[in-house]
Amino acid sequence: MTMAKKRILLIDDEPSFTRMLRLNLEKTGAYEVREENRGAHGLAAAREFKPDLILLDVIMPDADGGDVAAQIKADKNLKDTPIVFLTAVVTKKEEGMIGGRPFIAKPASVKEVIDCIEKHLAK
Amino acid sequence: MRKPKENLLLDFSLITLVIMIVVATAISALVTAKLNQHVWVLKAYDAAMRPEAPKGTDPFSVPEIRENFRGVLWMTYGAVGGGFVILYISLISVVARNSRTINQQRAALEAANADLRAAYEQLRETQERLVQERMAPILNSAGEGICGLDPQGNITFANPAAATLTGWDVEDLIGKPHHDVLHHTRADGTLYGGDECPIYAALREGAARQVDNEVFWKKDGTSFPVEYISTPMRKEGTIIGAVVTFEDITQRKQAEKALRESEMRFRSVAQSASDAIISADERGLIILWNRGAETIFGYAEKEALGTPLTRLLSERYRSAHKTAMVGKTVELEGLRKHGGEFPLELSLGTWMAEDQLFYTAIIRDITERKQAEMKLKETSAELQALQLQLIQAEKMESVGTLAAGIAHEVKNPLSIVLMGVNYLSDQLPPDDDITRSVLQDMDNAVRKADSVIRGLLDFSAAGALSLNAEDLNFVVQQSLLLVKHETDRSHLRVVKELTENLPAVKLDKGKIEQVLVNIFINAIHAMPGGGTLTVRTYAKRLMEVGHRVGSRKADHFRIGDTVLVTEVDDTGTGIPPDKLTKIFDPFFTTKPTGKGTGLGLAVTSKIVALHGGTIDIRNREEGGARVTIMFKAEGRG
Ligand SMILES: Nc1ncnc2c1ncn2[C@@H]1O[C@H](COP(=O)(O)OP(=O)(O)O)[C@@H](O)[C@H]1O
Ligand SMILES: [Mg+2]
């Protein structure tokens, strides 16, 4: 039986990272993954892709992860979409942007990422 | 001269005359007596011849006898008298002749005398001329003015210098009253009467006078300060005038004034100086003592003058050789009148005056400076400590910033590598063990790299503390549990000496656990062949000033504070002394790559410092190291 694939949106400015993660997730066959490397386009991508879960980088050259998360949460269609930050919590600034929301510390193994995704999709 | 000779002649002839008259009289008397005798004989003869003739008849009554007798008498007189006259005349003529000879000789003598006199006069004139010829240039070229005065005080002579000095011509001066021309008014402008003039006094009293505080007046009406000497001239006991020598002492007066002023200035400078200014003679006896010296040493000027300079120095320095100090500034110990020793700065100079050596010492009481220096030293030591702390803090700060940057840059690549490895691992045929082990190594390498980054991040993220009142012993126990695996594996004996009922302390439990684990791990690493790890806790009330204890801002604790002490002793290798200062530096490690990052103690000390605590590591005498951490206990201080 084929379950509907979960839609995962990756927003991170590092293309090789999003590609590597996408390949790993797609390989499981359980996910449909979309990469977005421009933070500023995060909201638009989310509106268009309507993901089940968003993995969001915190520090990007063109946008702050915290701002992008706030925009998404402000969209009535997207406000319930879980967002997991994907970053090493290095500075106080990041800590503030994450603001107690879930995060995965880089570098994380594929297994850690999938465990985290599943945990939040289950909610 | 002539008169006495004539008198002599006269006297001589008078005396001979008198003698002759006397002799003649005597002879006449004798003749008369003889004649009388003859008369009496004649009378007796007559009486015999003429007995008839009455007795007592005077034979002279007989005219023949009388006539005869008279005749004989007169003949006798005449003969005697004539003889005397002849004798007298001949005598007189002899005397007269002699007298003429004498007169002639006298005239010759007088003539010779006159010649001699003339020659003498000539000689004298020549001599005088010679003297004048020689004297004139001397007088003319003398720098001093020279005037000759007659007994009335009129100028009879003036040399060119006298003219130059007074502005008059020599001819103008001659014949003028000296006082009225040159000396009429005093320096202050009041009239100067001639009767008061010392020069005229010299004329009157015959005493030399020397004056150097008056003025002479010039032809142009100006005056100049003068020094003059007035010397009376005498001839045969009477004063026949005076010589006045004088010179213009304007320059001397100015020099004297300048000297006086400079002396006054020096005195006022010396007196107003707060430094002691002391001069001593060659023997080291004090000849000058200013007020500063009085203040510093306590001796009044009267007490100090004439006493040895050395008594101002502390016993220890008295034998120090003066000459060795000359020209230098040295620091010595001084001795005050009332016995106190004090630090002083001495500069000693020498000077010569009239072939004598003098010393001048300028002495400064540097008690305050010394105290200030001490304070400065203390402060600078404090500052240095503070600076070291700051440098350390800054170092850490920059390491933190760097770490954050690196973490961001490195974590993405690491993520990619890690996920790449994950991706490939899933694709592997089950029998490809070699590739699997290669991928496993890559996985390990990524995780190691990540742990270094995490260490750096710990270091930079240590700033965020969440403080709670904690039981120190509990935190220690928890931390020991975290390293139990390591201690067991190294077969270490763990000794706990935890004092019960310690006061609570505000800690970030997680961070302090990290601190203790770092310290335990270091101890474990230092005891590869086994040993004992001792953990000790106790509270202590700080009662005395010591390292990092005091009243200064930089001190972590103050007297009276209660601190909680954690000591971690090991029996390991200890730390080479030259490394002790470096072990807190980030990345300082003596451990092989992979085993140590060199960040453990850097993070540890930062966390402890953020808690307001201190950490010290020292070698124990028994061997091994001791780490001491102190936190201020809750609710006190
Ligand atoms: N208990 C100890 N005994 C001996 N040496 C020690 C001890 N603790 C620390 N050191 C020395 O200090 C160095 C720095 O320690 P640390 O900052 O923890 O870094 P690391 O442990 O990674 O080397 C160590 O490499 C070691 O040489
Ligand atoms: Mg260490």
Side-chain angles (χ1 to χ4, degrees):
Chain A
M1 116 184 179
T2 54
M3 264 172 61
K5 286 184 180 176
K6 296 294 180 189
R7 300 164 73 86
I8 308 292
L9 175 61
L10 304 179
I11 307 174
D12 193 308
D13 63 300
E14 182 59 58
S16 46
F17 174 72
T18 50
R19 181 173 160 267
M20 182 60 72
L21 185 51
R22 180 172 59 81
L23 289 175
N24 272 298
L25 291 177
E26 284 176 352
K27 203 173 78 176
T28 62
Y31 308 102
E32 189 184 338
V33 181
R34 167 106 177 242
E35 301 169 48
E36 176 53 64
N37 297 119
R38 296 159 303 172
H41 287 66
L43 177 63
R47 276 178 180 159
E48 197 201 312
F49 186 58
K50 298 185 178 63
D52 296 306
L53 185 140
I54 300 169
L55 290 175
L56 177 57
D57 191 12
V58 177
I59 302 210
M60 290 172 287
D62 61 343
D64 278 353
D67 294 344
V68 176
Q71 287 164 12
I72 291 168
K73 284 289 165 199
D75 188 292
K76 61 179 188 302
N77 296 320
L78 295 170
K79 66 179 193 302
D80 294 325
T81 312
I83 299 174
V84 174
F85 286 102
L86 193 59
T87 186
V89 183
V90 169
T91 60
K92 290 221 163 198
K93 191 181 165 200
E94 284 171 305
E95 223 175 319
M97 282 192 278
I98 292 165
R101 283 171 286 202
F103 72 95
I104 299 167
K106 288 182 186 176
S109 66
V110 176
K111 188 178 175 297
E112 285 168 323
V113 175
I114 290 173
D115 286 352
C116 187
I117 289 172
E118 287 306 315
K119 195 175 115 192
H120 285 95
L121 284 177
K123 282 184 184 172
Chain B
M1 290 287 266
R2 194 171 294 190
K3 256 191 178 160
K5 277 183 191 168
E6 283 167 10
N7 286 347
L8 186 70
L9 196 63
L10 208 72
D11 291 348
F12 176 73
S13 27
L14 207 68
I15 290 166
T16 39
L17 187 68
V18 169
I19 292 172
M20 282 176 180
I21 289 168
V22 169
V23 171
T25 314
I27 292 173
S28 303
L30 278 173
V31 169
T32 312
K34 204 67 188 171
L35 284 175
N36 271 336
Q37 206 180 340
H38 285 298
V39 168
W40 289 110
V41 171
L42 225 56
K43 272 178 181 174
Y45 179 75
D46 182 55
M49 292 292 277
R50 298 178 305 142
E52 72 289 343
K55 270 211 182 153
T57 319
D58 189 355
F60 284 93
S61 53
V62 179
E64 294 89 0
I65 290 173
R66 197 169 61 225
E67 281 314 309
N68 266 341
F69 192 78
R70 272 206 192 130
V72 171
L73 198 62
W74 282 111
M75 255 166 54
T76 309
Y77 281 149
V80 171
F84 272 105
V85 168
I86 289 162
L87 190 66
Y88 180 74
I89 288 168
S90 60
L91 264 174
I92 287 296
S93 74
V94 167
V95 168
R97 209 180 52 234
N98 281 351
S99 158
R100 206 169 43 242
T101 316
I102 285 168
N103 277 344
Q104 278 168 359
Q105 281 172 348
R106 193 171 59 198
L109 263 172
E110 272 172 1
N113 196 16
D115 288 349
L116 213 60
R117 219 175 258 274
Y120 170 76
E121 277 299 317
Q122 212 174 353
L123 199 68
R124 213 175 52 118
E125 270 166 28
T126 319
Q127 203 176 10
E128 252 170 30
R129 209 181 55 239
L130 270 173
V131 167
Q132 274 201 344
E133 274 170 12
R134 279 199 201 140
M135 283 299 287
I138 293 172
L139 291 175
N140 289 347
S141 55
E144 293 192 331
I146 301 173
C147 288
L149 306 188
D150 66 14
Q152 285 71 47
N154 296 319
I155 298 170
T156 57
F157 169 84
N159 74 338
T164 315
L165 287 172
T166 58
W168 292 90
D169 291 334
V170 172
E171 297 76 48
D172 293 337
L173 289 172
I174 302 294
K176 301 253 169 63
H178 180 274
H179 186 81
D180 296 353
V181 178
L182 301 176
H183 204 193
H184 45 77
T185 309
R186 293 183 206 267
D188 60 10
T190 58
L191 268 183
Y192 199 171
D195 44 347
E196 295 172 87
C197 174
I199 298 173
Y200 285 6
L203 280 174
R204 283 195 303 272
E205 293 154 17
R209 292 294 181 93
Q210 178 165 8
V211 175
D212 65 356
N213 56 356
E214 295 185 347
V215 294
F216 273 6
W217 293 86
K218 294 193 186 187
K219 188 180 183 181
D220 63 8
T222 60
S223 66
F224 59 91
V226 72
E227 174 172 8
Y228 61 79
I229 301 172
S230 171
T231 316
M233 291 188 289
R234 282 197 173 78
K235 194 161 191 178
E236 280 159 23
T238 47
I239 296 164
I240 56 160
V243 177
V244 181
T245 60
F246 63 95
E247 64 183 311
D248 183 344
I249 55 169
T250 307
Q251 281 180 355
R252 193 207 298 172
K253 287 273 170 190
Q254 277 167 356
E256 276 173 8
K257 190 167 166 247
L259 189 70
R260 253 197 327 273
E261 280 173 1
S262 99
E263 250 176 27
M264 245 168 64
R265 266 200 300 275
F266 168 74
R267 274 202 85 77
S268 42
V269 167
Q271 286 301 0
S272 63
S274 56
D275 288 351
I277 301 177
I278 304 168
S279 288
D281 62 16
E282 206 155 6
R283 295 163 299 166
L285 301 181
I286 295 167
I287 56 166
L288 182 137
W289 184 260
N290 78 335
R291 218 169 289 148
E294 197 172 319
T295 315
I296 291 176
F297 290 100
Y299 295 102
E301 189 175 5
K302 262 188 271 166
E303 298 173 280
L305 293 182
T307 62
L309 193 59
T310 48
R311 93 164 154 170
L312 304 175
L313 294 180
S314 157
E315 210 81 62
R316 279 168 288 162
Y317 296 101
R318 287 192 190 164
S319 54
H321 212 276
K322 277 197 294 269
T323 45
M325 295 194 242
V326 168
K328 289 183 200 144
T329 301
V330 289
E331 287 187 5
L332 306 171
E333 293 276 316
L335 190 62
R336 296 192 215 274
K337 182 183 177 186
H338 300 297
E341 288 194 0
F342 66 100
L344 59 78
E345 187 185 82
L346 164 82
S347 11
L348 195 64
T350 54
W351 43 284
M352 296 285 297
E354 285 163 10
D355 274 358
Q356 288 224 50
L357 184 70
F358 293 91
Y359 295 90
T360 292
I362 296 181
I363 294 173
R364 179 168 294 183
D365 183 343
I366 54 170
T367 310
E368 276 172 31
R369 193 216 286 171
K370 282 276 163 193
Q371 281 166 356
E373 269 174 17
M374 284 274 287
K375 234 180 223 153
L376 198 69
K377 249 185 225 161
E378 271 174 26
T379 316
S380 98
E382 237 174 83
L383 269 174
Q384 228 164 1
L386 206 65
Q387 199 185 17
L388 278 176
Q389 280 177 23
L390 272 174
I391 289 173
Q392 191 73 12
E394 248 167 50
K395 246 194 235 168
M396 291 183 176
E397 209 58 54
S398 56
V399 168
T401 313
L402 200 65
I406 289 171
H408 272 291
E409 294 310 312
V410 172
K411 290 229 170 189
N412 264 332
L414 285 180
S415 301
I416 295 163
V417 172
L418 189 57
M419 285 178 180
V421 167
N422 292 158
Y423 187 83
L424 293 174
S425 302
D426 283 356
Q427 313 271 58
L428 271 185
D431 56 343
D432 191 352
D433 290 336
I434 293 177
T435 310
R436 194 177 306 281
S437 71
V438 168
L439 289 172
Q440 187 59 51
D441 283 351
M442 288 171 74
D443 191 279
N444 288 345
V446 169
R447 287 177 195 283
K448 190 144 288 168
D450 185 46
S451 82
V452 171
I453 301 293
R454 224 194 299 274
L456 274 172
L457 288 176
D458 277 346
F459 186 65
S460 63
L465 294 182
S466 67
L467 295 173
N468 290 299
E470 304 283 356
D471 172 3
L472 180 65
N473 287 345
F474 180 69
V475 181
V476 169
Q477 302 269 27
Q478 289 284 103
S479 309
L480 279 171
L481 271 182
L482 291 173
V483 295
K484 187 166 190 322
H485 179 66
E486 317 289 326
T487 50
D488 286 352
R489 200 173 59 183
S490 301
H491 307 291
L492 296 180
R493 204 160 74 88
V494 176
V495 177
K496 292 183 262 185
E497 298 176 0
L498 308 178
T499 308
E500 285 183 21
N501 299 321
L502 287 174
V505 57
K506 270 206 163 163
L507 299 175
D508 182 322
K509 186 165 165 278
K511 292 255 154 62
I512 296 304
E513 274 175 10
Q514 196 184 340
V515 162
L516 291 170
V517 166
N518 276 336
I519 291 166
F520 295 155
I521 296 288
N522 281 344
I524 292 162
H525 283 165
M527 298 185 285
T532 304
L533 176 72
T534 307
V535 188
R536 197 176 297 113
T537 59
Y538 57 93
K540 171 164 101 168
R541 187 113 194 257
L542 297 174
M543 294 313 287
E544 58 189 61
V545 176
H547 180 57
R548 288 175 173 176
V549 180
S551 56
R552 296 163 292 187
K553 267 209 184 109
D555 292 321
H556 293 70
F557 308 118
R558 286 162 198 254
I559 290 173
D561 282 352
T562 299
V563 291
L564 292 184
V565 184
T566 310
E567 285 173 2
V568 180
D569 293 358
D570 65 54
T571 55
T573 54
I575 303 156
D578 59 316
K579 302 277 170 17
L580 269 173
T581 54
K582 295 186 181 142
I583 54 174
F584 289 103
D585 286 353
F587 303 113
F588 175 80
T589 181
T590 58
K591 294 168 191 175
T593 327
K595 208 175 184 191
T597 57
L599 284 166
L601 287 178
V603 172
T604 295
S605 69
K606 187 169 180 183
I607 292 170
V608 170
L610 283 167
H611 280 82
T614 62
I615 178 166
D616 270 310
I617 301 187
R618 61 188 67 183
N619 289 314
R620 301 193 308 139
E621 274 171 29
E622 310 90 305
R626 166 176 293 174
V627 181
T628 307
I629 303 175
M630 295 205 284
F631 295 116
K632 202 153 96 176
E634 253 288 76
R636 252 163 276 193

